[in-house]
Amino acid sequence: MNDQIDWSNLSFGYMPTDYNVRCSYSDGKWGDIEVSDSPYFNIHIAATGLHYGQEIFEGLKAFRGKDGKIRIFRLRDNAARLRDSAKGLMMAQLPEEKFVEMVKKVVKLNERFVPPYGTGASLYIRPIEFGTSAQVGVKPGKEYEFIVFVSPVGPYFKTGFKPSNICIMRQYDRVAPRGTGRWKVGGNYAASLEAGERAHELGYSAVLYLDPKEKLYLDECGPANFFAIKDGKYITPASESILPSITNKSFMQLARDMGLEVEQRHITVDELETIEEAAACGTAAVASPVGEIDDLDTGKKYIISKDGNPGPVTTELYNRLRGIQYGEIEDPYGWCTIVE
């Protein structure tokens, strides 16, 4: 354990750790796994990852449980999503077993950076793949690099598990219709930076985007998926432009376990008047309850949390998911991989 770190007051950011792991793709095949203690990588100035956006990544976490064991949450789901992103951007698909092996290896190598149980912190794991072929023509590269590094992190939102206010700004789109929204591509996040910074300047934690085609339906909530509770149902937007969040997928299963009906469907802005609870969810945020949604174009304010506290269903979902991640309750679906 690293005694120099104030585990309970970590921000969500990068902290240097001991090692990262790497694997190169060339001549039509993936090479051997390499361990590095350098945070740098030499890349050709004509690499496709720099010029044509052939870059994808994942985000997952490892937790030190109540029993002292280290658990990685939904490791294989992240491996599958990375492969799907690679297919979408015409990149080499990393075999699932190699992904699993590399993630487990990097966590084990940096075990002293896995935060202690009870601090609320976790080890964030960032796998990234990018094109390294030197070319100036717009076409898929033939060489790729896959790297996994880690960093201990605190909560994504500074308020922690407390309601925050978000806003709707119709002048911004996160992605294009039938574009790259369903894949975890760096360009999607670059496109959200201006809107996100503008929202923060106005005092909001995130932007609730609308669908990029008709501007009628809810889309993603900043860097996270959106869900709401209404009439005993867990509802979340359905769209090909939304990243399929693994956390949202987990909450949908837990909601069913709690007796809620789950609906993935279009949710109109007007329907916000009738929802009882809402939250942004994702690996980084887990679940960030929404207190109020302000439509900056119409001036309409949707008050979700009447008393300033998270709703009971959102709270139960959050506690169940965290309980599984930290080994406090049973993991009936085998979501956690224990690092030996």
Side-chain angles (χ1 to χ4, degrees), residues 1-8 10 15-19 60-73 103-125 149-154 325-327 337-340:
M1 195 67 66
N2 196 323
D3 297 329
Q4 306 302 313
I5 298 175
D6 184 0
W7 301 107
S8 297
L10 282 176
M15 177 182 291
T17 52
D18 292 333
Y19 301 101
L60 60 161
K61 288 180 177 178
F63 305 84
R64 194 178 297 275
K66 188 175 183 179
D67 54 7
K69 296 179 180 179
I70 297 173
R71 291 170 170 80
I72 303 172
F73 188 66
V103 170
K104 289 169 69 174
K105 179 182 283 291
V106 78
V107 171
K108 187 65 177 178
L109 287 169
N110 294 285
E111 186 173 356
R112 72 190 187 96
F113 289 96
V114 181
Y117 171 75
T119 59
S122 56
L123 187 73
Y124 188 77
I125 305 165
F149 66 87
V150 298
S151 177
V153 297
Q325 291 172 333
Y326 284 103
T337 299
I338 295 178
V339 178
E340 301 294 347

Side-chain angles (χ1 to χ4, degrees), residues 61 63 120 286 318-328:
K61 288 180 177 178
F63 305 84
V286 186
Y318 176 84
N319 288 337
R320 288 195 183 201
L321 185 64
R322 299 288 277 176
I324 291 171
Q325 291 172 333
Y326 284 103
E328 297 167 340

Side-chain angles (χ1 to χ4, degrees), residues 218-279:
L218 306 185
D219 199 271
E220 284 211 302
C221 189
N225 274 196
F226 177 87
F227 74 82
I229 306 300
K230 173 184 174 180
D231 300 330
K233 298 177 181 179
Y234 179 107
I235 59 175
T236 190
S239 167
E240 286 190 356
S241 68
I242 295 175
L243 180 74
S245 163
I246 293 167
T247 304
N248 196 4
K249 182 179 176 182
S250 304
F251 278 143
M252 283 189 264
Q253 181 58 61
L254 294 176
R256 293 186 186 98
D257 294 346
M258 291 165 56
L260 277 71
E261 185 178 340
V262 174
E263 294 181 348
Q264 280 186 282
R265 59 172 174 82
H266 286 318
I267 303 172
T268 64
V269 176
D270 291 342
E271 193 173 349
L272 290 173
E273 290 195 30
T274 62
I275 65 174
E276 300 154 19
E277 302 177 34

Side-chain angles (χ1 to χ4, degrees), residues 269-329:
V269 176
D270 291 342
E271 193 173 349
L272 290 173
E273 290 195 30
T274 62
I275 65 174
E276 300 154 19
E277 302 177 34
C281 65
T283 297
V286 186
S288 179
V290 173
E292 178 178 310
I293 303 172
D294 293 350
D295 189 330
L296 301 186
D297 297 298
T298 66
K300 177 74 175 179
K301 294 181 182 290
Y302 302 93
I303 309 300
I304 311 300
S305 174
K306 306 297 190 294
D307 60 2
N309 294 313
V313 176
T314 303
T315 300
E316 179 65 17
L317 287 168
Y318 176 84
N319 288 337
R320 288 195 183 201
L321 185 64
R322 299 288 277 176
I324 291 171
Q325 291 172 333
Y326 284 103
E328 297 167 340
I329 62 177

